[in-house]
Amino acid sequence: MALPRLSDWVLAKLPPPVLRPAYDRGEVRAGIVHLGLGAFHRAHQAVYTDDRLAAGEQDWGIIGLSLRSGDVREALAPQDGLYTVLERSAEGDRARVIGAVLEAVTVPETPERAMAALVDPRTRIISLTVTEKAYCLDAATGSLDETHPGIVADLRRDSFPNTVPGLLVEALRRRHESAAGPCTVLVCDNLPSNGETVARIVARYARLYDPQHGDSIVGDTAFPCTMVDRIVPATTDSDRTAVECFGYRDAWPVVAEPFSQWVIEDRFAAGRPRWEDAGAAMVTDVRPFELMKLRALNGAHSSLAYLGAVAGLETVADAMAEPLLARFLRDLWNEDLLPTIPSVPGMDLSAYTGQLENRFRNPAMRHRLQQIAMDGSQKLPQRLLLPALDRLRQGHKPSRIALTVAAWMRFLLRRDERGNSYEISDPLAAPLTALAAGAGENAEALAAALFGVREIFDPALAGDAGFRGLVVQHLISLLAHDLRRTLAA
């Protein structure tokens, strides 16, 4: 007999181990529109919101917008927006059905439905998890990349906007003209000072769009900064099978570790849920927490990703099972990263990295290194290259960061040391892989070509002879030998 598919009708029939929404979904009204209805949002912000709906704050349901593919809508629509979070640990799986997402909309399929949700006066928060590259950021200026092809096309105004800045400004413009009321743009991506950064991008786009009224379009919008943290691997077919053990089918569950953290600058234009009662931290300054997470967690993740990927390893847990890699990670924290992080209120950085190490070792989490390695051109500068510059200015050589940079350069050759090939997923994939292919396995030529990519490397770092020398030295070893011999040396 076929198992029933998750839906409002099936909800009441789920077995007791499955946690269900503790509220009447029919009484919930949408107050949040979320851009980027991917796995992370559904395992993080939507869970916090689900807790507040259960506490009676029923004006904060979520309408989720998928900006490209219709896959999420196709999975969730027949399920009435319901999905399962599988909280996975060594002790087993804990299943919880989340009811906070009331509707899933694919923007290219029904653009005006998406815009109507954004402009609705009941929408008071527009939140985002769209990855760093979607904001069309110019890394050199920290503002909008005005030469980005998508931005150039959107500014012509001859079609519905295709970029995140274009979509946000069009929504804010219509809200302004219709007197829909103020709202908050809540950025939950790993950008430095993410709210402030996106505020600059949006303001610049608005001025280009309408030089006379651009400032007033965004004038009553708040852009608080946030820090988000939870490990959420990509969903696999085996995860869907795991849900079936609970007696029902879910087309797109999400898997997450037990740990979750959300730090939010308490600056909202039109109210918010009491997320602090669900475990979030409301603060006046997110920056110390953001820097801690970007460098200690994300920097470590990227290092494991590139070192592990070139060695032919598959997951973070696999990498942590390698004694030399685990030792490298501790040295990376202690020698290169933690000395660049100022004190964080209420946090012990040594204890924090100890907790991270335990999280990375979680054998139940199949967090693929290739997934973490995506979009390296966008991630490396803030996660590792800025800390490297800080360490150089402190008078120390960041040799572990240099090894990660060498591993990233080796990674761009598109084959691991076992001979397995893979593709590079990155906005700069074409020029980066062309440079790598042109240099081949000549370490000096490969490093010289990639250090010249100004979108990634600050001239101050690329021009530091000591750092360049370390990278080349490590790259020679990775190309001539393998990761284990390089680490041992």
Side-chain angles (χ1 to χ4, degrees), residues 51 56 98 110 122 148 153 175 180 197 228 235 241-242 250 278 283 314 320 358 361 364 371 390-391 396 420 426:
D51 284 342
I98 302 299
T110 52
R122 292 171 294 185
H148 187 286
R175 290 183 68 91
T197 299
V228 297
T235 301
T241 301
D250 185 339
V283 302
E314 184 181 358
M320 293 301 295
N358 290 333
R361 289 185 184 277
Q371 179 188 355
D390 288 347
R391 205 68 180 118
H396 296 271
N420 302 311
D426 191 289

Side-chain angles (χ1 to χ4, degrees), residues 163-446:
T163 65
V164 168
L167 184 62
L168 284 174
V169 170
E170 179 62 15
L172 295 176
R173 183 188 70 80
R174 294 194 193 188
R175 290 183 68 91
H176 178 71
E177 291 183 353
S178 65
C183 71
T184 297
V185 173
L186 189 66
V187 182
C188 298
D189 284 298
N190 290 321
L191 293 168
S193 301
N194 54 13
E196 296 174 8
T197 299
V198 174
R200 281 196 304 274
I201 291 169
V202 168
R204 180 57 183 159
Y205 183 99
R207 293 186 193 107
L208 292 170
Y209 181 91
D210 186 342
Q212 187 174 1
H213 303 106
D215 288 342
S216 60
I217 289 174
V218 299
D220 58 358
T221 306
F223 291 84
C225 293
T226 69
M227 185 272 268
V228 297
D229 185 7
R230 195 175 202 186
I231 294 173
V232 184
T235 301
T236 65
D237 287 339
S238 65
D239 299 326
R240 295 179 176 89
T241 301
V243 171
E244 294 179 1
C245 295
F246 292 96
Y248 65 97
R249 292 183 300 117
D250 185 339
W252 207 323
V254 291
V255 174
E257 64 172 334
F259 179 90
S260 183
Q261 185 179 25
W262 195 7
V263 183
I264 310 169
E265 181 186 5
D266 198 0
R267 186 167 57 86
F268 287 74
R272 61 170 179 80
R274 288 188 57 82
W275 282 312
E276 64 268 38
D277 291 343
M282 309 303 299
V283 302
T284 57
D285 187 1
V286 172
R287 286 173 295 182
F289 298 91
E290 171 200 272
L291 193 66
M292 175 186 74
K293 191 249 182 173
L294 278 173
R295 296 187 177 189
L297 189 155
N298 298 128
H301 251 170
S302 288
S303 295
L304 288 177
Y306 297 117
L307 291 163
V310 299
L313 302 175
E314 184 181 358
T315 70
V316 172
D318 293 339
M320 293 301 295
E322 293 283 338
L324 289 173
L325 254 179
R327 190 179 74 185
F328 164 84
L329 187 65
R330 288 190 291 272
D331 290 342
L332 172 72
W333 278 323
N334 294 330
E335 301 297 330
D336 288 1
L337 294 176
L338 294 191
T340 73
I341 303 173
S343 62
V344 182
M347 300 294 298
D348 178 327
L349 291 180
S350 179
Y352 178 69
T353 54
Q355 183 187 49
L356 288 178
E357 186 171 354
N358 290 333
R359 292 167 61 192
F360 291 172
R361 289 185 184 277
N362 184 347
M365 298 298 294
R366 301 290 297 168
H367 201 183
R368 294 180 61 251
L369 297 173
Q370 287 285 351
Q371 179 188 355
I372 300 168
M374 293 170 59
D375 302 336
S377 67
Q378 312 294 296
K379 296 173 179 176
L380 278 177
Q382 55 186 324
R383 297 182 178 193
L384 291 162
L385 302 185
L386 284 174
L389 263 177
D390 288 347
R391 205 68 180 118
L392 287 169
R393 289 163 181 157
Q394 292 169 352
H396 296 271
K397 291 182 179 180
S399 61
R400 280 84 180 174
I401 295 178
L403 177 53
T404 295
V405 172
W408 170 74
M409 293 177 173
R410 165 71 179 78
F411 175 78
L412 292 176
L413 292 173
R414 295 191 288 182
R415 65 181 180 283
D416 64 33
E417 60 191 38
R418 301 178 184 180
N420 302 311
S421 61
Y422 48 80
E423 293 302 314
I424 304 297
S425 179
D426 191 289
L428 299 181
L432 290 176
T433 54
L435 289 172
E441 296 194 9
N442 182 318
E444 289 85 353
L446 182 56

